[in-house]
Amino acid sequence: MSLLCAESPGVLDLLEGAGLELLWHPALSAATGGEVRALLAQVESGALPLDILCVEGSILRGPNGTGRFQMLSGTGRSMLDWVTSLAAKARHVVAVGTCATYGGVTSAGENPADAVGVQYEGVEMGGALSRDFRSGSGMPVINVAGCPTHPDWVTETLLLLASDQLDQAGLDGYGRPRFYADHLVHHACPKNEFYEYKASATNLSEGGCMMEHLGCVGTQAVGDCNIRTWNGEGSCTRAGYPCINCTAPEFEEPGHGFTETPKFAGIPVGLPTDMPKAWFMALASLSKAATPRRVRENAVADRLVVPPSLRKPKS
């Protein structure tokens, strides 16, 4: 559903323009039943080349490693079996969404179905495919993480692969494409002025920074969500909800509520990436002392209540 929100051009026009033929997708393709079985058989035999295998959703290995909790209807075979077989034929393998990349929400809790990602189980390599798996291109699985993933992250990855411009150097340490994973959600967040002054919201309806009290981890989470935005204008933090780091493995079990900030001695446990604790404490103290009235009052209001001061131009 997220991918279908790709705009200007739409996803199907974009793939066609890049010379990418969509062989089959369970929700987008007309082919069903025997047609799909025949197509899969052609790919499995090598008669039909498979340039890119995209996998959505976690793979269930249960019960007892058989994968039979998750069968591909009409084939008598598990998704685990199909992914293992088709991945061996593909030039590239792309996991789409955090369930497919690292297990995601479906792997939370006791995980009785043994849900895993395509090549990762949480932060560890070795999911449905082994840690040593490499596709026909010599690449590991490309992890387009996000819950949901941004449509442009998917299409840009496919376009880069189609033009042979994505190699292993273009992936970060968790296999995510660096064109979006080298950014933080914090970058271009509209609440950054509040963050700079440590002017914090205490309720979700308020305008201030959500890091100190409301669980926002945008200063630690990778993603260009506030640069690229969603549907041309939105993001979680722009909509007033904290970033929950959905592009990361094991984000689904932070050990506390998503809208809670764990603290030790009044200091948030999860500090911004690359910032030593002592520096943060010193900066926060100075920032709070220097907070303008406009920023301080707007931070705890549900709308802008104090506009910027008017200044006369110097003569």
Side-chain angles (χ1 to χ4, degrees), residues 47-313:
L48 181 63
L50 179 61
D51 295 304
I52 307 172
L53 171 67
C54 293
V55 182
E56 300 175 64
S58 60
I59 307 300
L60 307 188
R61 294 188 300 195
N64 302 317
T66 65
R68 295 189 65 80
F69 279 154
Q70 184 186 28
M71 306 294 287
L72 182 58
S73 181
T75 68
R77 293 168 61 183
S78 68
M79 284 296 296
L80 176 63
D81 186 36
W82 275 112
V83 167
T84 303
S85 177
L86 296 179
K89 302 293 183 181
R91 184 161 184 261
H92 301 287
V93 179
V94 179
V96 180
T98 304
C99 284
T101 57
Y102 310 121
V105 172
T106 49
S107 67
E110 296 181 1
N111 193 13
D114 198 13
V116 295
V118 178
Q119 196 173 15
Y120 274 79
E121 182 177 3
V123 296
E124 302 294 335
M125 290 193 77
L129 303 176
S130 74
R131 63 177 297 114
D132 299 320
F133 169 82
R134 296 296 181 270
S135 65
S137 65
M139 293 264 285
V141 174
I142 299 162
N143 290 323
V144 187
C147 187
T149 186
H150 194 293
D152 290 357
W153 297 347
V154 181
T155 55
E156 192 165 330
T157 297
L158 296 178
L159 293 180
L160 288 170
L161 291 176
S163 56
D164 290 322
Q165 294 186 57
L166 182 61
D167 57 18
Q168 194 157 350
L171 305 179
D172 78 352
Y174 285 125
R176 299 170 293 202
R178 291 181 58 187
F179 68 78
Y180 79 86
D182 278 357
H183 295 280
L184 293 172
V185 174
H186 180 62
H187 298 163
C189 176
K191 296 179 180 288
N192 277 353
E193 184 182 30
F194 296 103
Y195 169 80
E196 290 164 3
Y197 285 107
K198 304 300 174 283
S200 301
T202 55
N203 296 293
L204 291 177
S205 59
E206 297 169 352
C209 177
M210 296 178 286
M211 174 193 164
E212 186 176 7
H213 303 303
L214 296 174
C216 186
V217 288
T219 56
Q220 307 162 55
V222 306
D224 58 4
C225 309
N226 279 305
I227 299 171
R228 193 183 295 259
T229 70
W230 292 70
N231 296 324
E233 61 183 35
S235 73
C236 293
T237 59
R238 287 169 188 259
Y241 196 84
C243 170
I244 61 174
N245 201 10
C246 74
T247 59
E250 301 181 4
F251 88 93
E252 66 278 359
E253 294 188 279
H256 56 83
F258 283 131
T259 58
E260 299 172 5
T261 300
K263 299 175 185 177
F264 181 76
I267 303 169
V269 173
L271 294 180
T273 297
D274 307 324
M275 178 173 281
K277 184 180 294 186
W279 291 10
F280 179 83
M281 292 174 63
L283 177 64
S285 178
L286 289 170
S287 297
K288 284 180 179 290
T291 304
R293 170 178 165 266
R294 171 182 59 84
V295 176
R296 184 174 61 253
E297 294 189 17
N298 287 338
V300 292
D302 62 0
R303 59 183 59 80
L304 193 149
V305 293
V306 182
S309 299
L310 296 178
R311 295 183 181 274
K312 293 183 179 179

Side-chain angles (χ1 to χ4, degrees), residues 31-54:
T32 60
E35 297 170 275
V36 178
R37 291 195 299 272
L39 183 146
L40 293 175
Q42 285 184 287
V43 172
E44 204 168 22
S45 69
L48 181 63
L50 179 61
D51 295 304
I52 307 172
L53 171 67
C54 293

